[in-house]
Amino acid sequence: MSKPKKLVVLGSINADHVISVPHFVKPGETLSGSGYHIAYGGKGANQAVAAARLGAETDFIACIGQDDIGRAMKQAFAEDNINTDSIVAIADEMSGIAMIQVADGGENSIVIAAGANGRLDESVVAKFQQNIMQADTLLMQLETPLAGILAAAKLAKQNQTRVVLNPAPAQPLPQELLAQVDMITPNETEAKTLTGINVVDEATAQQAAEVFHQQGIQTVLITLGSKGVFVSEQGQNGQIIAGFRVQAVDTTAAGDTFNGALLTALLEDQPLADAIRFAHAAAAISVTRKGAQPSIPTRQEVAAFLQ
Ligand code: ADP
């Protein structure tokens, strides 16, 4: 019996507090900034928003604090058609935040407090095990505790739910987790951290992909920024599939948009090459706009872009 075409995203939610500064604040200095605003981010949230905005039926397993910003973010996700029943409000934690200084010239300096994201452990996964067991695909990143990620991956694998891991931010991973993964989507930095191979061209990308294949991962997609993606399936030769040429303004959430879009298309049973083209288009649109979640396009916008 085939499963409902449903995606479960498990991951982080952050409120990004962004302020423009003439230079990064020095020890002991009080500095006047400008343009302060709060943007909703976190890799999990960005990927869930991308998938839902592009038309995938999406459950989001995540943790917020019992605070106003947490409630506001949950409401915004619901308005993006995400199923927010699996977002847990933790009583004694604040919602995750990032404090971001943007200096003249565009460089960022970021401080993160994981807050409630740090509570997304096995107990939260157990609470929503039915969502994972009944889904077609589980999509995760690495901004929440590994114990929860591993528990979810095992549960998915045992129940024929495809396990997709976007291994960001870069960190070494236990073999036990990689053994559960069906598809992995690192960027070049993350591929290097996980394989030790410096991905600089097609040959080195293939070498890195082989390391993942040897760990039992069927499909490897190494995203290459403006150069596109290297895709490799177990037992076949890989290749680079170029992206779209656009005038990039802000690449925040490019990878998140790519992942959400890719899974949306795969859930519709599009062949991998078509799904990659769709994901390239969505991510290309996102880099022409500022910010994380505000930059993620709708289905109509991607369709118009591809015409
Ligand atoms: P991450 O944001 O995780 O570091 P990448 O930078 O590799 O990921 O980008 C992910 C995808 O976003 C790329 O495969 C491509 O589809 C798209 N992308 C990123 N940068 C650009 C760009 N400058 N122009 C067009 N597409 C881009």
Side-chain angles (χ1 to χ4, degrees), residues 43 166 168 186-188 190 222-229 243-246 248 251-256 258-259 279-281 283-284 286-287:
K43 288 179 191 300
N166 173 230
N187 66 13
E188 291 149 301
E190 293 140 14
I222 304 174
T223 60
L224 308 169
S226 62
K227 298 191 294 293
V229 67
F244 292 94
R245 260 174 188 278
V246 290
T251 59
T252 310
D256 294 335
F258 182 91
N259 278 276
H280 273 330
S286 81
V287 306

Side-chain angles (χ1 to χ4, degrees), residues 140-203:
M140 300 186 288
Q141 322 74 33
L142 300 175
E143 284 187 331
T144 55
L146 267 186
I149 293 168
L150 182 60
K154 284 184 173 168
L155 185 67
K157 191 81 175 172
Q158 285 159 12
N159 289 278
Q160 290 79 48
T161 298
R162 172 172 43 193
V163 179
V164 182
L165 182 66
N166 173 230
Q171 57 184 279
L173 290 173
Q175 175 56 34
E176 192 186 8
L177 173 60
L178 293 168
Q180 318 297 327
V181 173
D182 298 302
M183 178 185 289
I184 197 161
T185 60
N187 66 13
E188 291 149 301
T189 309
E190 293 140 14
K192 179 162 188 211
T193 300
L194 289 169
T195 67
I197 292 162
N198 207 2
V199 174
V200 291
D201 55 18
E202 205 158 38

Side-chain angles (χ1 to χ4, degrees), residues 21-301:
V21 288
H23 59 82
F24 296 138
V25 67
K26 296 192 186 84
E29 184 183 15
T30 299
L31 183 64
S32 272
S34 60
Y36 170 72
H37 63 279
I38 300 176
Y40 301 163
K43 288 179 191 300
N46 295 343
Q47 294 183 17
V49 166
R53 222 173 258 179
L54 292 165
E57 195 182 334
T58 306
D59 291 357
F60 185 22
I61 301 177
C63 294
I64 51 174
Q66 286 186 358
D67 44 28
D68 288 345
I69 189 72
R71 281 186 282 276
M73 291 191 288
K74 185 171 173 178
Q75 175 65 27
F77 301 145
E79 284 164 16
D80 258 319
N81 285 324
I82 293 171
N83 172 16
T84 58
D85 294 347
S86 43
I87 297 180
V88 182
I90 307 280
D92 54 352
E93 276 287 3
M94 301 291 286
S95 294
I97 59 116
M99 305 288 249
I100 306 178
Q101 295 178 45
V102 184
D104 282 356
E107 207 185 348
N108 286 343
S109 156
I110 305 178
V111 182
I112 284 183
N117 292 311
R119 302 283 285 273
L120 210 178
D121 58 12
E122 306 96 306
S123 67
V124 176
V125 170
K127 208 166 164 207
F128 300 108
Q129 58 180 334
Q130 289 299 327
N131 302 58
I132 294 172
M133 289 161 68
Q134 288 165 8
D136 177 280
T137 301
L138 170 69
L139 172 61
M140 300 186 288
Q141 322 74 33
L142 300 175
E143 284 187 331
T144 55
L146 267 186
I149 293 168
L150 182 60
K154 284 184 173 168
L155 185 67
K157 191 81 175 172
Q158 285 159 12
N159 289 278
Q160 290 79 48
T161 298
R162 172 172 43 193
V163 179
V164 182
L165 182 66
N166 173 230
Q171 57 184 279
L173 290 173
Q175 175 56 34
E176 192 186 8
L177 173 60
L178 293 168
Q180 318 297 327
V181 173
D182 298 302
M183 178 185 289
I184 197 161
T185 60
N187 66 13
E188 291 149 301
T189 309
E190 293 140 14
K192 179 162 188 211
T193 300
L194 289 169
T195 67
I197 292 162
N198 207 2
V199 174
V200 291
D201 55 18
E202 205 158 38
T204 47
Q206 184 71 63
Q207 285 170 21
E210 286 308 328
V211 175
F212 289 121
H213 289 319
Q214 280 158 19
Q215 288 160 326
I217 301 174
Q218 171 69 30
T219 308
V220 178
L221 279 85
I222 304 174
T223 60
L224 308 169
S226 62
K227 298 191 294 293
V229 67
F230 180 83
V231 54
S232 175
E233 296 253 42
Q234 180 91 281
Q236 296 171 23
N237 277 331
Q239 57 169 322
I240 289 177
I241 299 185
F244 292 94
R245 260 174 188 278
V246 290
Q247 191 67 47
V249 174
D250 176 0
T251 59
T252 310
D256 294 335
T257 305
F258 182 91
N259 278 276
L262 179 82
L263 271 304
T264 300
L266 290 176
L267 243 56
E268 294 169 5
D269 291 329
Q270 294 193 34
L272 185 57
D274 294 0
I276 288 172
R277 185 167 178 267
F278 181 77
H280 273 330
I285 295 171
S286 81
V287 306
T288 65
R289 301 171 177 172
K290 283 200 163 183
Q293 287 168 26
S295 76
I296 299 169
T298 62
R299 184 70 180 227
Q300 290 73 16
E301 288 170 325

